[in-house]
């Protein structure tokens, strides 16, 4: 049972040892790994189109004027363009009713030229996010937020897996971080990131997803701080996705642990007066103890975008094959 993990365990031990020699965690450079993935996807897309298939198309929908959402979607569109996926953004005013948004989603669901639909979250308060996520056709749901895709993931059936946890999984694989029998703590219990992350980490590999076989603990706002620290100190892998600056500190880290920071917080740099992005982890301190660590920005964020492209290509392939388009 343990044999299959020995190779990656050796790599992990030697990397941890190397990191310990310099007393600094190895940096998980999501930006460069995502660029490799994007190159690979671009090649796969060229091959798909060369067989006579149409160019996959992603439609993003933004409701309202949230600046961060506009920026995220613009990034996603640039990434699509770079790998050759056709894309467009539909911008709707904040006053759009739920019925109007549902009508647009219905039109996009029926449009054979659209392979993927992404409704950027959050939506305004008068719109029910769950109703919207469930309205996107399961096969075009490149976010993996539709209840059918969530259910498929929970039951280990093939479907579309949310981009952020899928990206974290790819990072762990890339660095041969052993998960088999290890303790993993997911901090946060969001439906779109933490919950699917916990499902992936605990997967047994029997059906659609490759095993990670970790022992998973989910901590959240009602986990007492002392308990959070205790769980984290016992963890070989910590994935934190809360949105709270400095939540994870050096004293909470087991030496050599892998720390994945999904948090994105915009803070003012008191020295320069400019704004910058930081995660939930006290990066400068934690990197002195951890074995591996993701930076913010440049860690998980670019992987989320790469996995969205992966999901769009996967969705397109399935639709083309089901409809015998090419
Ligand atoms: N808002 C923040 N992250 C995401 C994401 O991955 N997908 C969507 N649709 N909205 C988001």
């Amino acid at each position: 049972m343990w044999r299959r993990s020995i190779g990656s365990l050796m790599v992990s031990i030697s990397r941890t040892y190397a990191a310990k020699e310099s007393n600094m965690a190895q940096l998980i450079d999501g930006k460069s790994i995502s660029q490799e993935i994007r190159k690979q996807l671009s090649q796969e897309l060229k091959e798909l189109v060369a067989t006579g298939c149409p160019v996959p198309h992603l439609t993003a929908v933004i409701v309202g004027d949230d600046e961060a959402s506009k920026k995220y979607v613009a990034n996603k569109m640039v990434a699509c363009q770079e790998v050759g996926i056709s894309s467009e953004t539909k911008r709707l005013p904040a006053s759009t009713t739920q019925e109007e948004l549902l009508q647009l989603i219905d039109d996009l669901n029926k449009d054979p030229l659209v392979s993927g639909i992404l409704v950027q979250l959050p939506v305004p308060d008068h719109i029910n996010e769950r109703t919207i996520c469930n309205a996107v056709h399961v096969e075009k749901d490149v976010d993996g937020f539709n209840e059918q895709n969530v259910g498929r993931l929970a039951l280990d059936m093939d479907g579309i897996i949310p981009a952020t946890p899928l990206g974290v999984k790819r990072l762990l694989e890339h660095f041969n971080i052993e998960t088999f029998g290890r303790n993993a703590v997911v901090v946060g219990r969001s439906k779109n990131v933490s919950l699917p992350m916990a499902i992936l980490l605990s997967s047994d590999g029997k059906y659609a997803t490759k095993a990670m076989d970790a022992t998973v603990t989910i901590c959240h706002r009602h986990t007492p701080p002392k308990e959070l620290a205790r769980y984290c100190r016992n963890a070989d892998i910590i994935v934190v996705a809360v949105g709270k600056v400095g939540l994870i500190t050096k004293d909470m880290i087991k030496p050599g642990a892998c720390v994945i920071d999904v948090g994105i917080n915009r803070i003012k740099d008191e020295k320069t007066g400019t704004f910058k992005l930081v995660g939930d982890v006290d990066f400068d301190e934690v990197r002195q103890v951890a074995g591996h660590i993701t930076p913010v920005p440049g860690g998980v964020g670019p992987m989320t975008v790469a996995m969205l492209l992966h999901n769009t290509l996967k969705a397109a392939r399935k639709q083309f094959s089901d409809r015998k388009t090419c």
Side-chain angles (χ1 to χ4, degrees):
M1 188 161 67
W2 286 92
R3 218 176 314 140
R4 74 183 161 99
S5 59
I6 280 180
S8 49
L9 182 64
M10 303 275 278
V11 173
S12 160
I13 289 172
S14 66
R15 283 199 172 136
T16 304
Y17 184 66
K20 287 303 102 199
E21 275 186 329
S22 66
N23 267 341
M24 280 293 177
Q26 184 172 5
L27 204 66
I28 297 183
D29 181 355
K31 197 170 169 189
S32 74
I33 298 163
S34 71
Q35 273 158 359
E36 281 171 35
I37 294 171
R38 277 153 74 153
K39 256 192 223 153
Q40 170 77 25
L41 290 172
S42 175
Q43 183 57 34
E44 285 177 28
L45 188 134
K46 270 191 203 124
E47 286 165 14
L48 181 75
V49 173
T51 65
C53 288
V55 173
H57 177 91
L58 173 67
T59 297
V61 181
I62 308 185
V63 187
D65 288 312
D66 183 73
E67 288 305 321
S69 290
K70 285 197 241 173
K71 214 166 157 189
Y72 292 144
V73 170
N75 267 343
K76 291 169 186 177
M77 298 297 104
V78 169
C80 280
Q81 202 177 11
E82 197 189 289
V83 304
I85 293 173
S86 132
S87 64
E88 70 175 328
T89 304
K90 295 202 181 285
R91 292 186 187 80
L92 305 180
S95 58
T96 303
T97 64
Q98 179 163 304
E99 286 61 39
E100 286 166 338
L101 181 55
L102 287 172
Q103 183 59 58
L104 171 63
I105 293 170
D106 191 42
D107 293 344
L108 295 170
N109 282 340
K110 288 176 181 152
D111 187 340
L113 298 178
V114 173
S115 352
I117 303 166
L118 176 158
V119 181
Q120 186 67 18
L121 303 177
V123 284
D125 288 345
H126 64 276
I127 296 176
N128 184 305
E129 184 177 300
R130 179 69 4 234
T131 305
I132 297 307
C133 291
N134 290 346
V136 175
H137 192 283
V138 60
E139 304 226 316
K140 297 191 177 187
D141 170 36
V142 288
D143 267 323
F145 295 168
N146 176 297
E147 62 187 352
Q148 291 185 60
N149 276 318
V150 177
R152 284 178 163 270
L153 175 62
L155 297 171
D156 198 9
M157 295 160 71
D158 189 33
I160 295 186
I161 298 174
T164 300
L166 189 58
V168 172
K169 181 176 178 174
R170 292 283 281 263
L171 287 179
L172 297 176
E173 285 170 355
H174 187 95
F175 281 85
N176 288 310
I177 306 290
E178 184 57 273
T179 53
F180 182 80
R182 299 294 169 94
N183 292 331
V185 166
V186 179
V187 188
R189 56 178 169 181
S190 66
K191 301 288 180 277
N192 299 337
V193 176
S194 300
L195 214 62
M197 187 75 253
I199 293 171
L200 285 176
L201 281 163
S202 60
S203 62
D204 61 11
K206 276 197 184 148
Y207 302 105
T209 45
K210 206 169 131 199
M212 295 187 88
D213 281 318
T215 303
V216 183
T217 303
I218 299 175
C219 295
H220 49 75
R221 69 173 71 240
H222 299 303
T223 307
K226 264 191 169 173
E227 289 300 296
L228 172 64
R230 190 172 68 81
Y231 283 118
C232 285
R233 268 197 299 272
N234 195 35
D236 304 294
I237 299 143
I238 299 176
V239 181
V240 53
V242 170
K244 196 168 174 186
V245 179
L247 178 66
I248 304 298
T249 49
K250 187 179 174 180
D251 56 304
M252 297 162 79
I253 306 298
K254 178 181 187 176
C258 174
V259 180
I260 306 286
D261 194 349
V262 184
I264 303 177
N265 308 290
R266 192 166 169 267
I267 61 161
K268 194 169 180 180
D269 185 333
E270 292 307 334
K271 279 185 211 146
T272 61
T274 55
F275 285 89
K276 64 172 183 176
L277 293 182
V278 296
D280 295 344
V281 174
D282 184 345
F283 181 83
D284 291 336
E285 292 283 314
V286 168
R287 72 184 306 199
Q288 295 168 21
V289 185
H292 293 82
I293 190 166
T294 56
V296 177
V300 175
M303 290 300 288
T304 297
V305 177
M307 290 303 102
L308 170 71
L309 305 176
H310 162 91
N311 283 348
T312 304
L313 195 53
K314 179 175 177 172
R317 276 189 208 282
K318 171 111 178 46
Q319 288 159 50
F320 297 156
S321 148
D322 287 352
R323 290 193 224 118
K324 299 190 174 32
T325 309
C326 47

